[in-house]
């Protein structure tokens, strides 16, 4: 019997964000600014983040970037909603995480 398809809600959020960051980096759709290695993440920080993928991870939470990538779109009712292509990408990544956990 085949396993049921997994969605974003079925996997741990931290693991999903890291996997999604890797997906954004590997697809080449997402360009990082030239200053990404020089910027601090807050006023209280003295240095830039150590993780070289920090910008991709942070982008998973930024709606404007996701809208440019056609992952979310503005809703007629107000706010934003996930596009069909965006949902398919998210579910595919969640499925990979779930299958890796099962192995």
């Amino acid at each position: 019997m085949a396993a049921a398809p997994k969605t974003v809600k079925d996997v741990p959020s931290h693991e999903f964000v890291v996997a999604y960051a890797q997906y954004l980096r590997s697809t080449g759709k997402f360009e990082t600014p030239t200053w990404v290695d020089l910027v601090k993440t807050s006023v209280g920080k003295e240095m830039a983040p150590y993780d070289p993928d920090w910008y991709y991870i942070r982008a998973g939470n930024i709606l404007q970037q996701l809208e440019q990538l056609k992952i979310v779109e503005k809703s007629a009712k107000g706010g934003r909603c996930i596009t069909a292509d965006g949902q398919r990408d998210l579910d595919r990544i969640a499925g990979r995480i779930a299958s890796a956990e099962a192995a």
Side-chain angles (χ1 to χ4, degrees), residues 6-7 14 19 32 40 43 56-57 69 71 82 92 98 101 103:
K6 299 296 181 185
T7 66
H14 177 71
T32 57
K40 301 185 310 180
V43 176
Y56 293 98
I57 291 171
L69 296 171
I71 295 167
I82 298 175
R92 185 178 332 120
E101 287 179 351

Side-chain angles (χ1 to χ4, degrees), residues 38-71:
L38 304 173
V39 72
K40 301 185 310 180
T41 55
S42 75
V43 176
K45 303 286 183 177
E46 292 185 15
M47 299 178 67
Y50 291 113
D51 184 0
D53 291 338
W54 76 270
Y55 194 79
Y56 293 98
I57 291 171
R58 188 68 62 98
N61 300 320
I62 300 173
L63 288 177
Q64 276 186 327
Q65 295 289 339
L66 296 176
E67 200 169 335
Q68 289 175 355
L69 296 171
K70 307 279 191 251
I71 295 167

Side-chain angles (χ1 to χ4, degrees), residues 1 6 8 12 21 27-28 30 38-39 44-45 47 51-52 56 60 64 74 85 87-89 93:
M1 187 165 137
K6 299 296 181 185
V8 176
T27 58
F30 189 80
L38 304 173
V39 72
K45 303 286 183 177
M47 299 178 67
D51 184 0
Y56 293 98
Q64 276 186 327
K74 290 186 179 174
D85 289 340
Q87 187 66 53
R88 186 173 37 253
D89 288 345
I93 293 164

